[in-house]
Amino acid sequence: MAETKEFREQGKEMVEYIAGYIDTIEKRPPLAQVEPGYLSKLIPNAAPQKPDKWEDIMKDVEKVIMPGVTHWHSPHFHAYFPTGNSFPAILGDMLSDVIGCIGFTWIASPACTELETIVMDWLGKAVGLPEEFLAEGNGKGGGVIQGTASEATLVAFLAAKMKRIRKELESQPDKDQYDILPKLVAYTSDQAHSSVMRASLIASIRMRSLPSDEENALRGNVLQKAIEEDKAKGLIPFFVCATLGTTAFCAFDNLTELGQICEKENIWMHVDAAYAGTAFLCPEFRYLLKGVKYATSFNFNPHKWMRINFDCSAMWVKDEDDLVHAFHVDPSYLKHKHQGAVKDFRHWQIPLGRRFRSLKLWFVLRMMGIEKLQEHVRKQVQLAHDFEKLVLSDSRFEIVGSVILGLVCFRLKESNEINEKLLKEINNSGKIHLVHSTEKETYFLRFAVCASSTEQKHVQYAWKIIQELTNSILNGIPPSN
């Protein structure tokens, strides 16, 4: 395809296909019903030498691709956490794709850098972050869009490492960074996402996983005890990752307690609010953000719950120099005349290149507005509470943990094996999709309100399926097809 005439025709057809897909998505099984290796039996083992016809490609989308798709935007998808989607975000990504800039420096595409700076300030204000995290004014803070929360955690971890090494070398000029590295130690909760521990593996720095309390939160007394133990061993505590909205339970670490200790001990506190951060658009949920003033960096994923397509992970720091000093490599071919007077986001991230991701954030904020996004959050939280009531109405089940946002953790009051069997039958049914987690050797199911199209009827339908399968399992009768 070389001409805009063909693109217009095929583009219109693709838009129609996309709209039709969204309109009929709940008719598809939410979990792909294929076996590993299915695709290799349906497509050739080498690329075509000459162009295939557009019509044949579109036929293969349904015949070959869609059977192997797990439909995350189906109202019957209740696994993991939400992943964002909206037509404004899709339009923004279309424009980003056609512009096709690689915005590693300001001069590489000034609008790419400046729009990101501005909309990250918009978003920071909208979720109630302290002014120190904003780029406007005379402060040194600001926001940047990373690919994922995993990247944001790693960036914060590496920046904290270099900041502490620089500080230690000030008082120990006869040492180098490789003398300091083996002594560094970081902390997180046993409820933290696996990406936090992976950051320590990538950096080859020890990290301690600290026990959470009965509410699955990391508390200050536990952190203080660990710090004192490690300092007595000659180690150097330098980083704490606190979580707001943990993966297993959507639990919340005590930022105030942790933050006061980090401030006293001169430790970088990073806050991972990947899922829960979108809820802070609503003032009634900002009590969960209490203590964020102590954070050095903060991150959440608009691509989870804020109707923005993957990837768009929002990260803020109070001092941009912490990132720039950690990642600054300045070859001559990247220098430009405005260097030093403007932001060059290549110094704020691990890769060099970056997409024009702020466009889709800008489109969503302008076309939907904060009020529509607040309505979306409140509706999904209410649907989670509706499901919670259904679970509590059946004495065979129990709630595990607290229902705060859009996640309900529950289980049968039976053995782990029975609960595991229930989940297997749920997913084998092809009607709804859930996943599980475990805590202290207790197996439980997670029901997340995910798709923006989820309504009360879908919650009730899911509960109906769960009850039917439960009846079959507890009565020893195999579920019917």
Side-chain angles (χ1 to χ4, degrees):
M1 181 175 67
E3 297 183 2
T4 56
K5 179 179 181 295
E6 290 177 272
F7 176 72
R8 284 192 173 98
E9 293 172 354
Q10 294 164 5
K12 288 176 182 177
E13 186 175 339
M14 180 58 79
V15 167
E16 284 297 322
Y17 180 84
I18 290 170
Y21 169 74
I22 294 296
D23 287 344
T24 61
I25 193 170
E26 68 177 284
K27 297 179 181 179
R28 301 175 185 264
L31 178 63
Q33 305 292 301
V34 297
E35 295 298 324
Y38 91 98
L39 196 56
S40 62
K41 302 171 185 176
L42 300 176
I43 62 176
N45 63 2
Q49 294 297 314
K50 295 182 179 181
D52 281 344
K53 294 180 180 178
W54 168 257
E55 294 78 10
D56 292 337
I57 295 171
M58 288 304 295
K59 287 177 183 177
D60 279 349
V61 169
E62 276 297 325
K63 178 184 175 183
V64 174
I65 301 301
M66 283 299 172
V69 170
T70 290
H71 301 284
W72 284 62
H73 301 291
S74 166
H76 302 309
F77 181 97
H78 302 292
Y80 313 109
F81 277 131
T83 183
N85 194 4
S86 68
F87 292 128
I90 292 170
L91 293 172
D93 252 352
M94 288 173 64
L95 182 57
S96 173
D97 288 343
V98 74
I99 291 173
C101 67
I102 312 297
F104 41 70
T105 61
W106 179 90
I107 198 64
S109 193
C112 182
T113 298
E114 297 202 7
L115 183 64
E116 186 162 331
T117 302
I118 292 168
V119 295
M120 285 297 289
D121 271 3
W122 284 9
L123 187 56
K125 293 174 186 177
V127 298
L129 290 183
E131 291 183 2
E132 296 96 314
F133 284 109
L134 306 181
E136 67 179 24
N138 298 320
K140 302 185 73 175
V144 60
I145 298 176
Q146 306 285 359
T148 64
S150 302
E151 288 179 47
T153 299
L154 179 58
V155 166
F157 191 86
L158 295 174
K161 176 196 74 172
M162 294 310 301
K163 184 175 184 179
R164 176 47 63 101
I165 287 174
R166 289 193 301 272
K167 178 176 174 57
E168 294 296 323
L169 292 179
E170 288 175 2
S171 59
Q172 303 177 68
D174 58 321
K175 306 287 187 182
D176 64 29
Q177 63 173 311
Y178 302 106
D179 296 315
I180 307 299
L181 274 172
K183 298 181 179 180
L184 296 178
V185 59
Y187 309 93
T188 193
S189 161
D190 58 10
Q191 298 297 318
H193 191 267
S194 60
S195 61
V196 180
M197 196 59 68
R198 179 175 286 184
S200 75
L201 294 176
I202 293 172
S204 296
I205 294 175
R206 78 190 77 199
M207 178 178 283
R208 291 184 59 180
S209 178
L210 304 179
S212 52
D213 67 7
E214 64 279 1
E215 296 296 326
N216 303 299
L218 180 59
R219 303 297 299 273
N221 61 321
V222 176
L223 175 62
Q224 187 66 63
K225 181 174 181 289
I227 290 172
E228 290 171 0
E229 290 172 352
D230 290 333
K231 289 170 71 174
K233 297 175 183 176
L235 300 178
I236 304 171
F238 78 103
F239 180 84
V240 169
C241 182
T243 307
L244 298 181
T246 60
T247 303
F249 292 105
C250 194
F252 294 78
D253 290 340
N254 192 309
L255 290 193
T256 299
E257 292 180 1
L258 301 178
Q260 289 173 345
I261 293 168
C262 289
E263 184 177 66
K264 178 183 67 173
E265 301 283 352
N266 193 26
I267 292 173
W268 182 305
M269 184 169 78
H270 175 70
V271 176
D272 173 10
Y275 163 66
T278 298
F280 305 142
L281 291 169
C282 303
E284 65 267 30
F285 295 120
R286 288 186 196 152
Y287 74 94
L288 299 165
L289 197 56
K290 184 179 180 182
V292 72
K293 66 180 181 179
Y294 296 107
T296 313
S297 54
F298 180 89
N299 165 251
F300 86 94
N301 287 343
H303 68 231
K304 270 192 168 66
W305 204 9
M306 213 182 104
R307 306 297 310 277
I308 294 176
N309 298 47
F310 188 85
D311 56 345
C312 182
S313 187
M315 178 187 185
W316 291 264
V317 290
K318 284 182 176 176
D319 188 346
E320 66 177 83
D321 288 345
D322 290 339
L323 300 186
V324 173
H325 290 161
F327 300 109
H328 190 278
V329 178
D330 202 25
S332 60
Y333 53 80
L334 293 178
K335 293 180 183 293
H336 57 92
K337 66 179 181 180
H338 298 291
Q339 193 162 309
V342 295
K343 295 183 189 300
D344 284 334
F345 279 132
R346 64 190 171 98
H347 299 310
W348 292 51
Q349 61 180 28
I350 294 168
L352 174 63
R354 56 201 333 273
R355 296 169 56 243
F356 202 163
R357 289 177 292 212
S358 58
L359 278 172
K360 57 188 170 186
L361 179 56
W362 188 53
F363 272 46
V364 167
L365 289 172
R366 292 191 66 185
M367 295 179 71
M368 300 184 74
I370 299 299
E371 290 183 0
K372 286 291 184 184
L373 294 169
Q374 289 171 332
E375 289 175 11
H376 170 65
V377 169
R378 289 168 179 146
K379 173 186 173 183
Q380 296 215 322
V381 172
Q382 183 57 55
L383 289 174
H385 285 299
D386 291 344
F387 185 79
E388 177 189 23
K389 292 175 184 176
L390 292 171
V391 174
L392 293 172
S393 70
D394 189 330
S395 61
R396 298 174 297 177
F397 289 87
E398 62 184 346
I399 297 293
V400 183
S402 301
V403 180
I404 299 174
L405 298 177
L407 175 69
V408 183
C409 298
F410 70 105
R411 69 189 305 274
L412 279 167
K413 297 174 184 176
E414 301 286 345
S415 67
N416 284 349
E417 290 74 19
I418 293 294
N419 280 278
E420 190 172 357
K421 184 176 182 181
L422 174 59
L423 180 65
K424 182 179 179 180
E425 297 294 352
I426 286 170
N427 290 328
N428 285 346
S429 75
K431 296 176 180 177
I432 59 175
H433 180 36
L434 278 69
V435 295
H436 79 282
S437 190
T438 56
E439 174 61 23
K440 296 180 175 66
E441 299 184 354
T442 298
Y443 185 104
F444 58 90
L445 285 66
R446 298 171 73 262
F447 180 93
V449 182
C450 292
S452 59
S453 58
T454 306
E455 302 286 349
Q456 191 173 63
K457 65 180 181 180
H458 300 113
V459 172
Q460 292 171 341
Y461 174 77
W463 180 240
K464 177 175 175 287
I465 298 300
I466 292 168
Q467 283 198 307
E468 288 176 354
L469 294 172
T470 297
N471 293 339
S472 296
I473 291 170
L474 296 185
N475 292 331
I477 303 171
S480 59
N481 292 328

